[in-house]
Amino acid sequence: MPSAVPPLPGLTRYTKWDDVPDGLFTKTQLANMDPPLKPGGEPLGQALYNGNSYAPLYALSTAVPKRRASPAQRAVLDRARALQYRCRRCGTEETEPLGKGRFCDPCRYAMTMWEQHDQAQALAGELVADPAAVLLVVDVAPDSLPEAQGVAVVGVRDRQVLYAAEAGEYGSPERGVVLDRLDALLTGRRVVEEPDFMGPSSRYPHALLRLPNSGPVVSGRDPLHPWAAPSSAANDSLTRIWAGWFGWTDRHSSTTACAPWEWSGDLPMPWSRSLDPAADGRSMAGLLHRIADGTEPVWERAAWTVDSHGVGLEVSA
């Protein structure tokens, strides 16, 4: 039931429309007359409707003509109504009003992907300009060659290697030295992680805290290493930044950019994966520089490049 409209104090209440005296009408009834009218005085009564609401009643004798829209005003209103059905980015006419922003679905899709692309470039620019931003590259797979089990920290802005060492085995003094060095080096720095949601999992920073072929360590040093927190939202991810810039999606209806899986075909990752984490880190820093200056390629089928209407307008405009 609609929200109740309480009665006005001091006015006669009519609970049946048949009881309303001749000459008293509601605002709606006056507006529906020919010519349309509007109240010219104070209400003289009120009528019950919908079982819980009261509508004020006005005298027909004091009603005045309702102002009509001029031809110019009507033209403006008609145009405004027509524009509710037309995408203001591509001009497509829809059968239903487009609502806030007035964009059709394909344009909204392309613009959403463009926003991610634009945000990725802005984030890369922040990292490149930040002297404290570093890339943390890890490779501690237990079945890798000894020289592949290493860790490196590379400055994003100058691409200089700040630290590189063999990771050592879990629980060994060598691994403890590495963890202590990373704790000291990464404190107060903006850390960019390498892989995010794509493998190999041995290159996640928290792999340094795992036993070989096991899950995360339940107790021990984990709370002391915020830079290695699993799925940490505090650290930026190289993959997320590049995915937003590149604009690849695994299905046409998706508005979430992601990195192509290794089996997705001919879309190689634009950074190196080798037995040298330091070299890999410098490669990744170079990628951030290319994204920041706009020279890194985007997907040839990125939504904003194939819809032929450019990046469009701000949704809030």
Side-chain angles (χ1 to χ4, degrees), residues 4 22 36 40 51 73 88 133 149 167 174 183 185 198 238 275 278 290-291 294 307 311:
D22 293 340
Q73 289 173 322
R88 65 190 183 97
Q149 299 186 29
E174 292 79 11
D183 288 340
L185 184 60
M198 60 183 304
L238 180 84
L275 301 182
R290 294 195 301 274
I291 292 175
D307 76 342
V311 298

Side-chain angles (χ1 to χ4, degrees), residues 5-6 8 11-12 17 24-30 39 42-49 53-59:
V5 178
L8 297 172
L11 293 180
T12 304
W17 287 100
L24 294 183
F25 298 90
T26 66
K27 284 184 178 181
T28 301
Q29 290 171 330
L30 291 174
E42 296 299 320
L44 303 179
Q46 52 194 331
L48 180 68
Y49 71 99
S53 299
Y54 283 86
L57 299 170
Y58 301 88

Side-chain angles (χ1 to χ4, degrees), residues 110 112-125 237-249 256-260 270-271 286-305 311:
T112 300
M113 299 301 295
W114 166 262
E115 288 171 4
Q116 296 178 41
H117 169 83
D118 191 51
Q119 291 167 3
Q121 185 176 30
L123 178 53
S237 164
L238 180 84
T239 309
R240 280 197 297 267
I241 296 171
W242 175 77
W245 170 266
F246 191 67
W248 186 87
T249 55
T256 301
C258 55
W271 59 82
L287 172 63
L288 290 175
H289 279 262
R290 294 195 301 274
I291 292 175
D293 62 26
T295 58
E296 176 65 21
V298 300
W299 188 32
E300 61 182 9
R301 294 170 56 194
W304 65 89
T305 67
V311 298

Side-chain angles (χ1 to χ4, degrees), residues 123 126-127 130 132-135 156 186 188-192 236:
L123 178 53
E126 290 178 11
L127 294 169
D130 186 353
V134 294
L135 274 154
V156 173
L186 300 180
R189 289 185 177 272
R190 193 167 180 178
V191 178
V192 183
D236 296 310

